[in-house]
mmCIF file of all heavy atoms in Angstrom:
data_model
loop_
_atom_site.group_PDB
_atom_site.id
_atom_site.type_symbol
_atom_site.label_atom_id
_atom_site.label_comp_id
_atom_site.label_asym_id
_atom_site.label_seq_id
_atom_site.Cartn_x
_atom_site.Cartn_y
_atom_site.Cartn_z
ATOM 1 N N ARG A 34 -2.957 6.495 7.657
ATOM 2 C CA ARG A 34 -3.454 5.109 7.745
ATOM 3 C C ARG A 34 -2.301 4.125 7.594
ATOM 4 O O ARG A 34 -1.224 4.442 7.082
ATOM 5 C CB ARG A 34 -4.542 4.858 6.708
ATOM 6 C CG ARG A 34 -4.297 5.266 5.256
ATOM 7 C CD ARG A 34 -3.252 4.483 4.596
ATOM 8 N NE ARG A 34 -3.344 4.403 3.157
ATOM 9 C CZ ARG A 34 -2.576 3.592 2.443
ATOM 10 N NH1 ARG A 34 -1.653 2.843 3.004
ATOM 11 N NH2 ARG A 34 -2.682 3.552 1.129
ATOM 12 N N ALA A 36 -2.160 0.013 6.161
ATOM 13 C CA ALA A 36 -3.057 -0.894 5.434
ATOM 14 C C ALA A 36 -2.417 -2.261 5.246
ATOM 15 O O ALA A 36 -1.986 -2.613 4.158
ATOM 16 C CB ALA A 36 -3.409 -0.268 4.079
ATOM 17 N N PRO A 37 -2.344 -3.053 6.314
ATOM 18 C CA PRO A 37 -1.699 -4.359 6.194
ATOM 19 C C PRO A 37 -2.537 -5.368 5.399
ATOM 20 O O PRO A 37 -3.761 -5.286 5.380
ATOM 21 C CB PRO A 37 -1.562 -4.819 7.649
ATOM 22 C CG PRO A 37 -2.655 -4.129 8.379
ATOM 23 C CD PRO A 37 -2.872 -2.810 7.675
ATOM 24 N N SER A 38 -1.852 -6.287 4.758
ATOM 25 C CA SER A 38 -2.512 -7.410 4.081
ATOM 26 C C SER A 38 -2.358 -8.635 4.974
ATOM 27 O O SER A 38 -1.229 -8.994 5.330
ATOM 28 C CB SER A 38 -1.845 -7.688 2.730
ATOM 29 O OG SER A 38 -1.920 -6.540 1.929
ATOM 30 N N GLU A 70 -6.322 -4.925 4.176
ATOM 31 C CA GLU A 70 -6.429 -5.144 2.728
ATOM 32 C C GLU A 70 -6.393 -6.653 2.440
ATOM 33 O O GLU A 70 -5.337 -7.237 2.218
ATOM 34 C CB GLU A 70 -5.320 -4.368 2.014
ATOM 35 C CG GLU A 70 -5.451 -2.875 2.360
ATOM 36 C CD GLU A 70 -4.809 -1.933 1.371
ATOM 37 O OE1 GLU A 70 -3.770 -2.283 0.771
ATOM 38 O OE2 GLU A 70 -5.346 -0.830 1.200
ATOM 39 N N TYR A 224 -5.815 -4.226 -6.402
ATOM 40 C CA TYR A 224 -5.236 -3.372 -5.357
ATOM 41 C C TYR A 224 -5.285 -1.892 -5.734
ATOM 42 O O TYR A 224 -5.707 -1.049 -4.934
ATOM 43 C CB TYR A 224 -3.779 -3.816 -5.088
ATOM 44 C CG TYR A 224 -2.964 -2.742 -4.423
ATOM 45 C CD1 TYR A 224 -3.213 -2.386 -3.094
ATOM 46 C CD2 TYR A 224 -1.977 -2.045 -5.122
ATOM 47 C CE1 TYR A 224 -2.497 -1.360 -2.488
ATOM 48 C CE2 TYR A 224 -1.264 -1.026 -4.529
ATOM 49 C CZ TYR A 224 -1.526 -0.689 -3.209
ATOM 50 O OH TYR A 224 -0.819 0.336 -2.614
ATOM 51 N N VAL A 228 -7.413 0.610 -3.257
ATOM 52 C CA VAL A 228 -6.680 1.507 -2.367
ATOM 53 C C VAL A 228 -7.090 2.969 -2.618
ATOM 54 O O VAL A 228 -7.233 3.761 -1.681
ATOM 55 C CB VAL A 228 -5.153 1.252 -2.540
ATOM 56 C CG1 VAL A 228 -4.585 1.958 -3.727
ATOM 57 C CG2 VAL A 228 -4.386 1.595 -1.299
ATOM 58 N N ARG A 242 3.881 4.802 3.323
ATOM 59 C CA ARG A 242 3.939 3.357 3.054
ATOM 60 C C ARG A 242 5.304 2.991 2.487
ATOM 61 O O ARG A 242 6.153 3.865 2.273
ATOM 62 C CB ARG A 242 2.810 2.961 2.118
ATOM 63 C CG ARG A 242 2.862 3.632 0.774
ATOM 64 C CD ARG A 242 1.645 3.270 -0.076
ATOM 65 N NE ARG A 242 1.658 3.996 -1.333
ATOM 66 C CZ ARG A 242 0.633 4.050 -2.168
ATOM 67 N NH1 ARG A 242 -0.491 3.418 -1.883
ATOM 68 N NH2 ARG A 242 0.723 4.714 -3.297
ATOM 69 N N LEU A 246 6.094 0.824 -3.282
ATOM 70 C CA LEU A 246 4.849 1.267 -3.916
ATOM 71 C C LEU A 246 4.979 2.635 -4.593
ATOM 72 O O LEU A 246 3.978 3.192 -5.073
ATOM 73 C CB LEU A 246 3.714 1.276 -2.880
ATOM 74 C CG LEU A 246 3.327 -0.138 -2.410
ATOM 75 C CD1 LEU A 246 2.418 -0.083 -1.200
ATOM 76 C CD2 LEU A 246 2.648 -0.917 -3.538
HETATM 77 N N1 LIG B 419 -1.710 -3.622 1.594
HETATM 78 C C1 LIG B 419 -0.443 -3.192 1.083
HETATM 79 C C2 LIG B 419 0.655 -4.039 1.656
HETATM 80 O O1 LIG B 419 0.483 -4.661 2.691
HETATM 81 C C3 LIG B 419 -0.148 -1.752 1.399
HETATM 82 C C4 LIG B 419 -0.852 -0.849 0.506
HETATM 83 C C5 LIG B 419 -0.706 0.623 0.782
HETATM 84 O O2 LIG B 419 -0.204 1.014 1.843
HETATM 85 O O3 LIG B 419 -1.147 1.363 -0.074
HETATM 86 O O4 LIG B 419 1.721 -4.064 1.073
#
Side-chain angles (χ1 to χ4, degrees):
R34 49 67 155 189
S38 301
E70 302 202 327
Y224 160 70
V228 82
R242 61 184 176 191
L246 292 168

